[in-house]
Coordinates of all heavy atoms in Angstrom, one line a residue:
I217 N -132.6 101.6 -59.5 CA -132.2 100.2 -59.1 C -131.5 100.3 -57.8 O -131.7 99.3 -57.0 CB -131.3 99.6 -60.3 CG1 -132.1 99.5 -61.6 CG2 -130.8 98.1 -59.9 CD1 -133.4 98.7 -61.5
Y218 N -130.6 101.1 -57.6 CA -129.8 101.3 -56.4 C -130.7 101.4 -55.2 O -130.7 100.8 -54.3 CB -128.9 102.4 -56.3 CG -127.6 102.2 -56.9 CD1 -127.4 102.3 -58.4 CD2 -126.3 101.9 -56.2 CE1 -126.1 102.0 -58.9 CE2 -125.2 101.7 -56.7 CZ -125.0 101.8 -58.2 OH -123.8 101.5 -58.7
S219 N -131.7 102.2 -55.3 CA -132.8 102.5 -54.3 C -133.6 101.2 -54.0 O -133.8 101.1 -52.7 CB -133.6 103.8 -54.6 OG -134.6 103.9 -53.7
D220 N -134.1 100.7 -55.0 CA -134.9 99.5 -54.8 C -134.1 98.3 -54.1 O -134.7 97.6 -53.4 CB -135.5 99.1 -56.0 CG -136.6 100.1 -56.5 OD1 -137.2 100.9 -55.7 OD2 -136.9 100.1 -57.7
I221 N -132.9 98.1 -54.6 CA -132.1 97.1 -54.1 C -131.7 97.3 -52.5 O -132.0 96.4 -51.6 CB -130.7 96.8 -54.7 CG1 -131.0 96.2 -56.1 CG2 -129.8 96.1 -54.0 CD1 -129.9 96.0 -56.9
R222 N -131.4 98.6 -52.3 CA -131.0 98.9 -50.9 C -132.3 98.8 -50.0 O -132.3 98.3 -48.9 CB -130.5 100.2 -50.7 CG -129.0 100.4 -51.2 CD -128.4 101.7 -51.3 NE -128.5 102.4 -50.1 CZ -127.7 103.5 -49.7 NH1 -126.8 103.9 -50.6 NH2 -127.9 104.0 -48.6
G223 N -133.5 99.3 -50.5 CA -134.8 99.2 -49.8 C -135.2 97.9 -49.4 O -135.6 97.5 -48.4
N224 N -135.3 97.0 -50.4 CA -135.6 95.7 -50.2 C -134.7 94.8 -49.4 O -135.2 94.1 -48.6 CB -135.8 95.0 -51.7 CG -137.0 95.5 -52.3 OD1 -138.1 94.9 -52.0 ND2 -137.0 96.3 -53.4
I225 N -133.4 95.0 -49.6 CA -132.5 94.4 -48.7 C -132.6 94.7 -47.3 O -132.7 93.9 -46.3 CB -131.0 94.5 -49.2 CG1 -130.9 93.8 -50.5 CG2 -130.0 94.0 -48.2 CD1 -130.9 92.4 -50.5
S226 N -132.8 96.1 -47.1 CA -132.9 96.5 -45.7 C -134.2 96.0 -45.0 O -134.2 95.6 -43.9 CB -133.0 98.1 -45.7 OG -131.7 98.5 -46.1
E227 N -135.3 95.9 -45.8 CA -136.5 95.5 -45.3 C -136.4 94.0 -45.0 O -136.8 93.6 -44.0 CB -137.7 95.5 -46.4 CG -139.0 94.9 -45.8 CD -140.1 95.1 -46.9 OE1 -140.2 96.1 -47.6 OE2 -140.9 94.2 -47.1
L228 N -135.6 93.2 -45.8 CA -135.5 91.9 -45.5 C -134.7 91.6 -44.3 O -135.1 90.7 -43.4 CB -134.7 91.2 -46.7 CG -134.3 89.8 -46.7 CD1 -135.5 88.9 -46.7 CD2 -133.3 89.4 -47.9
L229 N -133.7 92.4 -44.0 CA -132.9 92.2 -42.8 C -133.7 92.6 -41.6 O -133.6 92.0 -40.6 CB -131.7 93.0 -42.9 CG -130.6 92.5 -43.9 CD1 -129.4 93.5 -44.0 CD2 -130.2 91.1 -43.9
A230 N -134.4 93.7 -41.7 CA -135.3 94.2 -40.6 C -136.3 93.2 -40.3 O -136.6 92.9 -39.1 CB -135.9 95.5 -41.1
T231 N -136.9 92.5 -41.2 CA -137.8 91.4 -41.0 C -137.3 90.3 -40.2 O -137.7 89.8 -39.3 CB -138.4 90.9 -42.4 OG1 -139.1 91.9 -43.0 CG2 -139.5 89.8 -42.1
S232 N -136.0 89.9 -40.6 CA -135.3 88.9 -39.9 C -135.1 89.2 -38.5 O -135.4 88.4 -37.6 CB -134.1 88.6 -40.7 OG -134.3 88.1 -41.8
I233 N -134.7 90.4 -38.2 CA -134.4 90.8 -36.8 C -135.7 90.8 -36.1 O -135.8 90.4 -34.9 CB -133.7 92.2 -36.8 CG1 -132.3 92.0 -37.3 CG2 -133.7 92.8 -35.4 CD1 -131.7 93.4 -37.6
N234 N -136.8 91.5 -36.7 CA -138.1 91.6 -35.9 C -138.7 90.2 -35.6 O -139.5 90.1 -34.8 CB -139.1 92.6 -36.7 CG -138.6 94.0 -36.5 OD1 -138.0 94.4 -35.5 ND2 -138.8 94.8 -37.5

Side-chain angles (χ1 to χ4, degrees):
I217 300 302
Y218 275 81
S219 177
D220 288 340
I221 287 178
R222 285 174 56 160
N224 280 286
I225 293 295
S226 296
E227 179 183 322
L228 179 64
L229 297 180
T231 298
S232 299
I233 291 172
N234 286 328

